[in-house]
Structure formats: C-alpha cells, structure tokens
Amino acid sequence: MANRVRDDQVPPTAADLPDPRWTLTQTNWAALNHAYGLATDAPKMLVALLDTDQTARTKALGYVHGILHHQNTIYEATVPTALYAAAILTDPRATLPVDKNRRDAPGCMRAELLAWIGSVAGEVTDAVDTASRRHGFPLDDYPPAVAIRQTRPQLFSAAFAFVDDADRHVSEAAIAACIPLLDDAELLPYRATLVPPLREVLGTSERWQRRERAIDALDAWGEDSCGLEGQRNPFLFCDSDPSTDSSPWLTEDVGIDIVR
C-alpha cells in the first residue's frame, strides 16, 4: 500500500504507552469493575489475546468485547484495557488470526483490537457528550469516560502507526479507530492528515460500514465526500444475507447503495 502520510505529518510520540506488562501487573484490577463485577479475571484474559492457541485468542477477544466493553459501555477496567490493547498492537503475535463467522469483521487480532479501540473511543466523542448532556448525564460526571478521554493522544499514536499498514484490513481498522479519537482538542490538527486515507482507503472499502464511516467523518469535518458510495437503510437492520459482512459488536444498519 502506498504511503499516504508524510513523515512530517506523523503525530508526536511524547505520550508513550505504558509497557503492557506493567499495565497487567501494576493495575489494581481487583479495585476496578467490568460488566459482571470486579475485574480480577482481566489479566489472565488479556494475556490470552496473544496466546499461541487460536481458540484461546478468540475467547479472549470475546471477553474484551463482552465483559470489558459490554454493549458499548465503558467501565473502570476498560481504561487500562485500552492502554494494554494499544500497547500490544506492535507485537508480532497480533498478526495471528482469530476464529470468524460470517458476521465478523475481517482481519487478524491487530485489526480486531484496533476496531475495539475505535469502539471505545466512539463512546466519548463530542456528539456522545452532547447527547448525554441533553439527558442530564454529561461525560465529565463519569470517571471512566473522563479517563478514556485523557488517553486519546496515546491511543491515537498507537492506531495512527497502522494507517498505512500493508494489510488492508489493519489499515482500514486503524483509520476507523482514529476518527473518534480526533475529537480530542490536542489532536484536531491531524484531521487534515487523515483525509487522504479516509477517501482512498476507508472510502473504498469492500465493507459498506467503513465506507459510511469515511463519508460521515469527511462530512462532519467539512471535507469533500463526493463520489464515495455508502449504504444505509434502517428498515433493513436485520440482515439475512450470508454474504453481508458486519461485525457482531457493531450495530450498524444495512440497506441500499447511496452515492454522494
């Protein structure tokens, strides 16, 4: 894949991620909650994300989605998990596959972790905060959301490193993960940097969900999305077409093609 990001556009790495081993051993998991109680089981499951056994990796990935980010909720334990997931993206074992079914997102563990990071970041965007405030629940009043917001520069640096990855699935997942992270005031200047890969990679994805994400981001940022083809129809949310590819953890809808 051609490099679409110049060296002078690469974000600074001053906000280095903590070593993943440090996160595992120094985090007081017993004091943090997840969807089903205290996160004492988290270290063992997080280590298994890079296990040599594919079944173990797949189970660990399901745990990260279903327990640490259940129904897109951010818990106390989600915060160190995000830092851990970002830190292991560079591990060679992150290129190992996980079990798939027809509704899974394509790609290796690295692509899956990037998608998970993007999902977590998507719960603390400006739009989410605006909607939450309307209902009397500003994100500033929820410590785990505040903590995730504080990690956005670190998560962005980790995800941005894979925007030009040779693996198309990884590249798309990295670009998609960067979009919600760029709501951070410190990161706003990098929106312009992401526009070319948004149009050329995410906007031409085989997956309509990612094309839609590119279109929505470009439109929200005041950039040109003309010529990009999306697909959306809320009346066809429940997809029965086995050829349709969508993640079991994303609630995106299916429908007819729309060309902008």
Side-chain angles (χ1 to χ4, degrees), residues 99-106 207 209 237-248 254:
D99 294 339
K100 300 284 183 176
N101 60 50
R102 72 175 185 86
R103 298 188 65 81
D104 287 344
R207 301 187 70 224
Q209 296 97 330
F237 175 84
C238 295
D239 170 43
S240 60
D241 179 2
S243 66
T244 299
D245 190 16
S246 59
S247 169
V254 178

Side-chain angles (χ1 to χ4, degrees), residues 21-81:
R21 292 166 296 184
W22 187 95
T23 300
L24 284 180
T25 59
Q26 299 304 310
T27 298
N28 185 7
W29 298 98
L32 305 178
N33 66 21
H34 56 38
Y36 296 100
L38 298 179
T40 52
D41 53 346
K44 179 180 178 180
M45 297 304 295
L46 293 180
V47 168
L49 288 169
L50 300 178
D51 199 281
T52 56
D53 179 72
Q54 184 163 322
T55 299
R57 292 194 302 274
T58 303
K59 182 179 179 180
L61 182 64
Y63 171 89
V64 168
H65 280 285
I67 307 297
L68 295 173
H69 188 39
H70 179 63
Q71 295 183 343
N72 296 334
T73 303
I74 294 175
Y75 302 92
E76 293 170 339
T78 311
V79 181
T81 299

